[in-house]
Structures are given as C-alpha cells and as structure tokens.
Amino acid sequence: MSTEHARSGLLSMRRLLGRAVAGRDGRAVGRVNDVIVRLRTEGYPSVTGLVADVGGRRLFVPAGQVDDWTSDPLALTTARVDLRAFERREGEVLLRADILGHRLIDTSTVRLVRAHDLELAPVSGSDEAGWVLVGVDTRPASWWQRIFHESREAVSPDGCRDWSAFEALIGHTPSVLVRAPLSRLHRLKTPQIADLLEAASVEERAELLDRVHADPELEADVFEELDDPDQAKLLRGKSDEDVAAVLAHMRADDAADALMDLPQDRRVPVMERMPAGAARKLRSLLGFNPTSAGGLMALDHLALRETATVADALDAVRSASDQEPQALTTIYAYDDELRLTGAVGLVTLVQADPGGLLATVAEANPVRVGPETDLPDVAVLMTDYNLLVLPVVDEDDRLLGVITVDDALEATLPEPWRRREPGARPAHHTASAGS
C-alpha cells in the first residue's frame, strides 16, 4: 500500500477526540473515545477502527464503517453499531490511551519527548482506501488551543514531524511483543539507550528493558553503560536467573563490579546460576581491590609467543570475535616462561611484513603495572606513554589482563563530571517509514 499523503488532508487527533458519531440516518450514536491503529513491517501504522462511547459503553467501530473521517459529526455508513464491548487485540495500538500525551523516543535527538498531538492522513495512490498515522506534534498546546481544541496546523502547518522519527513506548505488553521486530531501537548506540533508561519513568524503563531483553548481547552492553546507581537498581529488580544471564554477557570486569553492588546474600546464588567459564572469570577478579589496577582490568587480551609471525598475529585478531575490540588494539608477546616481552599496535602489525616475527616488530619491555597499582598511577602512565591499553602482570611478569583507556577515564573522572549533562548530540537521521 502506498502511504503518500497531502498535508492539506491531515486530520488532528485532538480535534477528532470527543467528536459526535452519527449513523447513516443522521442520528447521533455516540462520541469518539479513541482511534485504533495496527503496526506494520513497512510504512505507517494503518487505522483499523475507532472506539466510540455509546451510552457509557466503549464499542468498536471498524474503519470500513466510517463514511467520512473529516465530517462533524463523524458519519458512518450504517445506522447501527455492534453493541459488544470493545476488547483490544494483540498488535493494536490505541492512539489516545497509548501515545497521545505520553512520551516517545525521538530517534533523531535520542531524547524522550511528549506527543501533544498526532496527525492522520488518507492513503492515496492505491486501490485500498484508508487512513494512516503519519505525524507527531511534540509542541505543547497553548491554553486557548486546549480549551477550543484548536488545531496547531492553523498556527504552524509544519510543526508536526514524521512518525518514522519516533519510537513509541506503548506499555501494552501484547502490542509491544508484536511490535518488537519493528523497533527502531536497534539503530541507536548502547550509550544512547542507557541514557534513555536513566531518563525514563518506572513504566518506560520496564518497556525499554523488555525490548533489550530480547537481545542478550545488547542488554549486557546497555547495562555496562549505565551509571552505577541505575545499574544496581535495575539489576536488583531482576530475578537471580535474569541477573546471571546479564552478567554472563558483560565484560568480566564490569560484571564483577555489578555483582558487588548486589546485596551480599544474592551474590553467591547469582554466580551459581552463571555459566562455569563466566563465573570463573568473576572469581579471578573479585580478589582484587576495586580501586586498583587489578580491580579495573579486563581479562580480554591477545598474547602470542614472540616466535609467532605477523601473519599468525593477524589471524589471531581475526579469530578473536568474542573479545572486546578495545582490547585488540595492542597484541602482546611472551617468552617460553610466559613472561611479557613485547607489545605491538594493530596498525603496526597491518603495515608489517607478514613473514616477520612478533619479537622483531613488537616494542620490547613495554610499560606494565602490577594488580595493586592505584588508579591515579594508572592514569598518569597511560597519559605519559599515550597508551590505549595498559597490561597488568603478576609477580612473575605474566600477563593477567589489560586496562583500556575508556575504563581508566571512567574510573578517574570526578563524580560531578561524570554526572554532568552532555553537550547536544548531532541529529541521528533515520530513513522515512514510508520510503
């Protein structure tokens, strides 16, 4: 179905609400209480009917029985309506109950905004007649517009924005589940989704969490980006099984911090529900002071014998798809005693002779720290030596893990700086739903 529409044919949802509904014989039947749309994989949500208040009851009127959506009173093609009470079906969205006056995600600015009005438009250029939801007005109405139900189009015809720029938080679980494959959240970056969670209400958070829960990797990435208080609060609201599933997909260092933020009586039960490998990584980190290099380091790193070739090292990088990309910016070399002997950046590897030895291209005796090194010293070393990754070694000079620059920054930034409002982001452009 084509969803092309002309602005002159737009219909304001606020002006439609409360409008009288009249049968074919001209007699008043009731008043418009809500409009029903159904989400689709492509294009705009299609209007399937309306909910009418008839004698104190809410009744369903199919869209096909509406003769003229723009008339006042709203004209039907029949003199009678079905007197069975309206019951919402899966996938149906009620524009008044679910969207109008509620907050939506503006995917261009990645902020929560309120829908103060909605625009409907007739479908044209198609054999199938009907109406679709095409626009959202996020500007609050003035007092006189609210009193007289005056449309904003009369004041500013370009005020509404295309529906494709928004993601609605409907809150109706069956409709959310049907809509999940259509979600535009996958276009956002995980820090942006985390910001939305931190700004959301309890109900909005619940729906956002339900959405990301469908993708375990995304869910874990989002939890890693949350501020510690928000992360702890949201994890405490989950069952031990769900917390274990989230932690199992998080980086071991972040998972260890999150585990320690749980009440003490929940830590062991959560670990018992985690996969053996993930739980073992956590135990190896929990023995370190959280304000030390050992407590900050990540276990993901790539190390090969110094006799390996450059080609071997590049093959190892290609195969390390389960490791954090930040940890792969530097590859380490070790000797027969497993002691750290060298470090080489990924760019240097790519530019080197594939047949050359790792020991030849790697920087000998790289800067490293022990697990007890405090965080200020870590930050100073990474700054002085322009390091993206800093290795952490044990007393025998064997590699334990690495500290990435983003983790070092997060750990050393003063708390007020971390909580300051970030600057305005560039618009996040998305494709039009009707294109």
Side-chain angles (χ1 to χ4, degrees):
M1 179 197 301
S2 170
T3 55
E4 296 178 0
H5 58 276
R7 176 160 288 280
S8 59
L10 294 177
L11 179 61
S12 163
M13 179 65 185
R14 282 201 177 275
R15 298 191 72 183
L16 184 60
L17 290 175
R19 182 174 298 181
V21 178
R24 186 176 57 185
D25 56 5
R27 294 183 179 180
V29 174
R31 291 191 176 276
V32 177
N33 175 276
D34 216 326
V35 173
I36 309 163
V37 299
R38 182 168 288 277
L39 301 168
R40 301 184 296 171
T41 54
E42 295 182 2
Y44 297 101
S46 56
V47 175
T48 60
L50 61 86
V51 181
D53 278 332
V54 180
R57 302 180 64 190
R58 297 173 72 234
L59 306 181
F60 171 65
V61 179
Q65 291 184 9
V66 179
D67 182 52
D68 186 355
W69 285 86
T70 62
S71 64
D72 190 0
L74 198 68
L76 303 183
T77 60
T78 177
R80 299 181 179 180
V81 294
D82 191 333
L83 295 180
R84 287 178 296 180
F86 166 72
E87 292 183 3
R88 190 206 296 241
R89 294 173 294 182
E90 287 189 2
E92 290 183 338
V93 176
L94 303 181
L95 296 188
R96 179 183 191 179
D98 298 331
I99 300 179
L100 191 62
H102 295 263
R103 295 206 295 181
L104 306 87
I105 301 170
D106 184 335
T107 57
S108 61
T109 61
V110 197
R111 293 181 181 275
L112 290 165
V113 296
R114 198 168 301 279
H116 291 284
D117 202 359
L118 304 171
E119 283 184 338
L120 305 177
V123 174
S124 61
S126 171
D127 294 335
E128 184 179 354
W131 286 71
V132 290
L133 170 62
V134 296
V136 179
D137 194 338
T138 60
R139 301 165 303 160
S142 64
W143 65 268
W144 59 269
Q145 287 170 336
R146 290 194 297 269
I147 292 176
F148 297 105
H149 300 284
E150 185 65 36
S151 171
R152 257 74 62 88
E153 285 88 359
V155 180
S156 176
D158 298 320
C160 278
R161 294 171 54 205
D162 197 282
W163 168 257
S164 63
F166 300 91
E167 178 71 11
L169 299 172
I170 294 170
H172 181 246
T173 302
S175 297
V176 170
L177 295 177
V178 171
R179 187 268 305 279
L182 318 179
S183 176
R184 301 181 186 99
L185 289 180
H186 71 278
R187 304 177 188 176
L188 305 182
K189 300 181 184 301
T190 49
Q192 294 174 325
I193 300 176
D195 287 345
L196 290 173
L197 275 169
E198 290 169 357
S201 66
V202 174
E203 294 78 11
E204 292 164 346
R205 279 186 173 189
E207 180 168 341
L208 283 168
L209 287 173
D210 282 343
R211 303 271 201 93
V212 300
H213 185 65
D215 184 340
E217 294 292 343
L218 174 62
E219 182 179 34
D221 290 344
V222 169
F223 269 90
E224 287 178 357
E225 297 292 342
L226 290 170
D227 288 340
D228 291 344
D230 291 292
Q231 183 191 83
K233 181 178 179 179
L234 292 177
L235 284 177
R236 288 174 185 175
K238 288 179 171 287
S239 67
D240 289 347
E241 290 78 7
D242 285 344
V243 174
V246 172
L247 298 191
H249 287 90
M250 291 173 66
R251 288 173 37 178
D253 55 324
D254 290 324
D257 292 338
L259 183 71
M260 294 307 293
D261 285 336
L262 290 175
Q264 188 170 359
D265 61 346
R266 294 193 62 188
R267 296 171 191 171
V268 172
V270 166
M271 290 189 67
E272 289 176 344
R273 289 164 172 77
M274 293 179 64
R280 185 166 55 252
K281 287 183 178 181
L282 252 65
R283 291 191 183 94
S284 68
L285 291 173
L286 292 176
F288 297 113
N289 186 324
T291 61
S292 68
L296 185 61
M297 72 178 178
L299 298 181
D300 282 351
H301 62 272
L302 191 57
L304 294 86
R305 288 189 180 276
E306 56 189 3
T307 53
T309 65
V310 168
D312 292 335
L314 290 174
D315 285 342
V317 172
R318 294 188 191 96
S319 302
S321 58
D322 60 336
Q323 294 200 28
E324 288 293 321
Q326 299 94 319
L328 299 178
T329 57
T330 302
I331 291 81
Y332 298 98
Y334 59 83
D335 61 17
D336 292 340
E337 301 297 324
L338 305 182
R339 293 173 300 194
L340 178 65
T341 60
V344 57
L346 184 56
V347 173
T348 301
L349 273 182
V350 172
Q351 296 173 340
D353 178 4
L357 297 181
L358 198 58
T360 303
V361 298
E363 175 191 355
N365 193 30
V367 177
R368 76 266 280 185
V369 294
E372 71 287 344
T373 305
D374 63 26
L375 299 187
D377 287 343
V378 167
V380 168
L381 281 172
M382 297 188 78
T383 301
D384 286 349
Y385 290 91
N386 297 319
L387 298 177
L388 296 177
V389 184
L390 177 65
V392 182
V393 297
D394 65 12
E395 58 187 8
D396 296 318
D397 216 20
R398 295 176 178 176
L399 196 58
L400 295 173
V402 297
I403 299 171
T404 57
V405 67
D406 59 322
D407 284 343
L409 278 172
E410 183 178 0
T412 54
L413 276 177
E415 187 68 20
W417 287 19
R418 277 188 272 174
R419 294 204 168 274
R420 67 184 296 203
E421 184 69 21
R425 302 183 182 88
H428 182 83
H429 298 290
T430 57
S432 170
S435 60

